[in-house]
Amino acid sequence: MARFTMEQMLDELRTIFLYEADHIAMGAGEEAAERFLGFPLREEEGEHEFCDLDPARVDLGRFQISKTFERAYGFVFEPGLTNALDEEVQDLLVFMQGTPRVGGRAGSAGVTHSFMGPDGLCQTIADAAYARWKLEIVERGEFTTRELALLANMSEGAVRNAMADKDEGGLRAIPGSKPVQVEFEEAKRWLAGRRGFKPTPVRLRDDPNLRSRFGSVQTAEELGELIQRLRVQFEPILSSSLKAWSAAEIASWEIGSFAFDAERAAELATGLDVDVPLFVGKALEVSLRRDAKPEVRS
């Protein structure tokens, strides 16, 4: 699939809410639609339908599904352990199934938009996130040609060609399945050999999102918050070496009051399974910033 930006996806999501507002207006009245969006139509300025308005007027902060779409975007395009989705990925599918199939009212009913089709950006993210969730989180299920195409970053036609390939590297569909589907183990095997497939890292140290997050840390407190989040979220898979650390020393790192020690920093990085040089360098940087005396001006 051709990559698009998160902002393009969010703009489309704003548009979806405008179309939904028209649907609400037809069913419950314009006041209900205005309460839904948080702003009114300006009849005096010739605004008669919500779907014709500038999507930028929609405040996505009003709609909790927006955050799920943001996380799903990263889950699809930059997969990592720190941005994996759980069952909320299914909310995306249900949400998209419930969006208007046509829009408009007051004489122009029947207006369509690209979000209503399979190539819509939000629909693409919902389908791709669900496919990755089945493949790497729940590790079960069956996969359609569309889902395999999204995961492998190739066309559905290319997937069907792979199904027609009878050689060892071909893709084996479930006999008699309609629509055609592929079993989990076969999908996993086949995707592993696709150049376009980007698997989720199995180690925190290999997570590109986590590396980026460490790179953006500016203060000892921010570093401490990240350490605490990793320790709590990934406790089951972290090294048992952290259990030997005293509660007081762990706390000093998590609140940002630690005294920098390169050896202890390296041990903590190893216990958290993060890149050691990156972590030690960032711990030194933020501790120096924290401890620097303010410049005295004459």
Side-chain angles (χ1 to χ4, degrees):
M1 60 181 158
R3 181 154 182 172
F4 45 86
T5 68
M6 183 184 293
E7 193 53 41
Q8 287 175 314
M9 177 196 69
L10 293 178
D11 274 343
E12 185 184 86
L13 184 57
R14 293 182 180 97
T15 300
I16 290 173
F17 288 127
L18 291 175
Y19 275 73
E20 288 191 338
D22 278 325
H23 190 232
I24 292 171
M26 284 187 286
E30 197 167 290
E31 288 187 7
E34 291 173 352
R35 288 195 299 271
F36 170 71
L37 281 179
F39 60 84
L41 283 172
R42 297 189 290 244
E43 295 286 351
E44 69 280 3
E45 296 182 23
E47 296 179 355
H48 303 295
E49 297 183 337
F50 288 101
C51 69
D52 291 331
L53 303 183
D54 182 356
R57 291 176 62 181
V58 177
D59 176 13
L60 290 181
R62 296 174 58 87
F63 307 100
Q64 68 178 37
I65 197 70
S66 304
K67 290 298 181 183
T68 308
F69 269 105
E70 288 182 14
R71 292 180 57 210
Y73 180 91
F75 187 51
V76 168
F77 286 121
E78 298 296 339
L81 294 172
T82 51
N83 66 352
L85 293 180
D86 206 336
E87 292 184 356
E88 70 266 31
V89 71
Q90 297 179 79
D91 293 343
L92 301 176
L93 294 180
V94 175
F95 175 83
M96 292 308 302
Q97 289 168 359
T99 57
R101 299 296 99 183
V102 293
R105 57 194 177 98
S108 65
V111 177
T112 59
H113 189 276
S114 58
F115 78 76
M116 299 172 184
D119 294 329
L121 308 187
C122 291
Q123 187 67 62
T124 296
I125 289 297
D127 290 343
Y130 181 63
R132 184 175 290 278
W133 177 74
K134 289 192 295 182
L135 182 75
E136 297 183 330
I137 306 299
V138 299
E139 298 184 313
R140 64 177 184 273
E142 299 169 348
F143 296 80
T144 64
T145 55
R146 172 175 169 80
E147 289 173 333
L148 292 172
L150 290 172
L151 288 169
N153 194 23
M154 56 198 301
S155 69
E156 287 191 65
V159 174
R160 287 190 287 270
N161 288 340
M163 289 177 172
D165 184 356
K166 303 305 180 184
D167 293 336
E168 186 176 326
L171 179 62
R172 305 290 174 259
I174 300 172
S177 58
K178 294 182 179 181
V180 177
Q181 297 196 73
V182 175
E183 293 279 10
F184 165 75
E185 291 294 344
E186 175 66 4
K188 183 179 179 181
R189 178 198 67 79
W190 183 77
L191 285 167
R194 304 307 101 198
R195 286 184 298 177
F197 174 59
K198 184 184 291 187
T200 297
V202 297
R203 300 287 300 272
L204 281 171
R205 67 181 61 184
D206 299 322
D207 189 329
N209 306 294
L210 185 56
R211 293 183 65 88
S212 177
R213 181 70 184 87
F214 270 114
S216 66
V217 165
Q218 295 294 314
T219 67
E221 290 78 13
E222 289 179 9
L223 179 63
E225 291 172 2
L226 183 53
I227 291 170
Q228 183 181 47
R229 188 176 306 122
L230 292 175
R231 194 172 63 84
V232 172
Q233 183 176 357
F234 298 99
E235 182 179 11
I237 66 173
L238 295 182
S239 170
S240 59
S241 64
L242 288 179
K243 295 180 180 178
W245 284 53
S246 69
E249 187 170 14
I250 284 289
S252 72
W253 281 88
E254 291 183 343
I255 65 176
S257 64
F258 62 90
F260 177 77
D261 179 286
E263 184 175 344
R264 289 302 272 172
E267 291 174 4
L268 180 55
T270 300
L272 293 171
D273 191 32
V274 299
D275 184 275
V276 173
L278 176 63
F279 182 88
V280 173
K282 181 56 67 172
L284 174 60
E285 174 192 334
V286 297
S287 64
L288 288 173
R289 292 181 186 277
R290 179 199 61 199
D291 299 338
K293 294 181 179 179
E295 181 181 354
V296 178
R297 296 183 179 276
S298 57

